[in-house]
Amino acid sequence: MEKKLMKMKKEIQEQNRFYSMLALLGLFAIILTNSGHLAPQYSDPHAAEFAHGVLIGLVIVIEVFSLLNIAKNLTALKDETKLRRLYNENHDERTEQIAAIAGQKGLKFAIVIVLIAAFIVSYFSLEAFIAMLACIIIFSATVKICRLYYTRTYTGEEE
Amino acid sequence: MKNRIRELRKAQKLSQSELADIVGTTRQTITSIEVGKYTASLGLAYKIAHYFNLSIEEVFDFSEIENEE
């Protein structure tokens, strides 16, 4: 039982390291964006301001998400019952199966939607069309690579 | 798959959360198993049966699978 508890703590600490990195990257992105060193190459200044605002908003969401998860994990590390419950939530077999099915179907659906959007956008903007094609290629390649990897490594047992 | 988990759990005055914590799963999964909406894996079924000191066949009803054969 002690061994499992240590494993749980290690996993939660690794998660905290990930969220901390994410929060730091977010801060770095805000500093870089506001420093003026990387000015967006927009001809329309309103579009540049809009893009700047969206980026800042996205970074703030990532920061809040990271900090909330770090706080949740730190609380769990102090309380064994909460730690066990958090670990069980993260490793629940039913939740993992649902995530796998939803992820698989969701990604296929997303590829089709982006494909349709790329077709429509191709009539208006070459850059946007190429960006969407790149997304489709990246999504499809990622799915294929993950499938190959897990076909070789997946044992069905808890890690 | 039908099972006796709710009956066994109530006999021991155990909540779904408490059983979930003991066998290493979530309350939602225990609920889904009890109402037959989700079929537990072999490992989880064994942990549940083992907790109640029963065999898997005494906790879970395999008659549906037997009838399919």
Side-chain angles (χ1 to χ4, degrees), chain A residues 10-140:
Chain A
K10 194 182 166 194
E11 191 180 294
I12 300 296
Q13 282 163 353
E14 273 173 18
Q15 272 188 16
N16 270 359
R17 273 194 284 274
F18 169 74
Y19 288 124
S20 301
M21 277 293 294
L22 204 58
L24 280 170
L25 279 171
L27 271 172
F28 179 70
I30 288 178
I31 292 166
L32 204 62
T33 311
N34 286 324
S35 68
H37 290 296
L38 295 176
Q41 301 299 317
Y42 292 97
S43 53
D44 179 3
H46 296 295
E49 275 176 28
F50 173 75
H52 182 251
V54 168
L55 278 172
I56 296 286
L58 202 60
V59 169
I60 288 171
V61 166
I62 291 169
E63 288 293 314
V64 169
F65 173 77
S66 302
L67 292 172
L68 283 175
N69 276 291
I70 290 170
K72 186 174 92 174
N73 287 348
L74 285 174
T75 313
L77 283 170
K78 290 175 189 168
D79 182 340
E80 195 179 302
T81 310
K82 282 185 183 167
L83 180 65
R84 282 185 194 281
R85 202 158 276 189
L86 188 61
Y87 183 85
N88 289 342
E89 279 170 22
N90 290 342
H91 290 272
D92 179 49
E93 60 178 49
R94 182 174 160 270
T95 310
E96 282 178 350
Q97 283 174 25
I98 289 168
I101 295 167
Q104 198 177 38
K105 292 204 191 296
L107 196 55
K108 281 182 187 172
F109 192 58
I111 289 171
V112 169
I113 297 284
V114 174
L115 201 55
I116 293 169
F119 180 75
I120 295 167
V121 154
S122 67
Y123 287 98
F124 304 102
S125 165
L126 176 64
E127 291 88 354
F129 173 60
I130 290 170
M132 284 184 169
L133 276 185
C135 283
I136 291 166
I137 291 166
I138 290 167
F139 283 162
S140 306

Side-chain angles (χ1 to χ4, degrees), chain A residues 4 81 84-85 88-95 97 158, chain B residues 17 20-21 24-26 28-29 32 38-41 44:
Chain A
K4 195 166 181 185
T81 310
R84 282 185 194 281
R85 202 158 276 189
N88 289 342
E89 279 170 22
N90 290 342
H91 290 272
D92 179 49
E93 60 178 49
R94 182 174 160 270
T95 310
Q97 283 174 25
E158 196 181 294
Chain B
S17 292
D21 288 344
T25 188
T26 61
Q28 291 85 347
T29 299
S32 297
Y38 175 70
T39 304
S41 67
L44 183 56

